[in-house]
Amino acid sequence: MPAVNLPNSITLTRIFSIPLLIWLLATNHFHGFDGEQELLASALFIAASITDGIDGYLARRRGQITTMGMLLDPLADKLLIAAALSRWCNSMLAWFRPGLRS
């Protein structure tokens, strides 16, 4: 059985979407309505979260459970959460920072 099957490909796609999530949360290129940037980042995060369930279901259903998948799936989950949480914490520090100086 090849190591890169459909469930593993979905997991790799989730890992490769993490830099896009970080960019969406960090960029200043959005000049639309307020919250557009956060909505796009939230949509990407939700889509990546949904693929977590899909790849697990497909791996079990098709009998394509691999060592690579068992290692990459939790790693992808942790990286996705860490990316979103780190950007959120950074924005919260920026929000509280003016109050700390006065």
Side-chain angles (χ1 to χ4, degrees):
M1 180 182 331
V4 182
N5 52 32
L6 181 60
N8 289 349
S9 297
I10 293 171
T11 300
L12 288 171
T13 302
R14 191 163 73 244
I15 291 172
F16 293 137
S17 72
I18 292 168
L20 179 59
L21 177 68
I22 293 170
W23 179 80
L24 280 172
L25 291 171
T27 188
N28 293 325
H29 285 67
F30 290 91
H31 301 291
F33 63 91
D34 286 337
E36 178 183 23
Q37 184 174 355
E38 289 81 8
L39 284 173
L40 287 172
S42 297
L44 179 63
F45 184 85
I46 290 168
S49 299
I50 291 171
T51 63
D52 183 30
I54 291 171
D55 67 4
Y57 171 77
L58 288 174
R60 287 186 300 275
R61 180 83 171 155
R62 294 176 162 196
Q64 294 179 330
I65 298 172
T66 62
T67 303
M68 180 180 165
M70 288 190 286
L71 295 173
L72 285 182
D73 191 58
L75 178 66
D77 297 341
K78 286 167 183 52
L79 288 173
L80 185 67
I81 297 294
L85 189 59
S86 68
R87 294 304 308 163
W88 178 76
C89 288
N90 191 22
S91 67
M92 292 305 291
L93 286 174
W95 187 71
F96 281 118
R97 199 169 297 143
L100 293 175
R101 290 185 187 158
S102 32

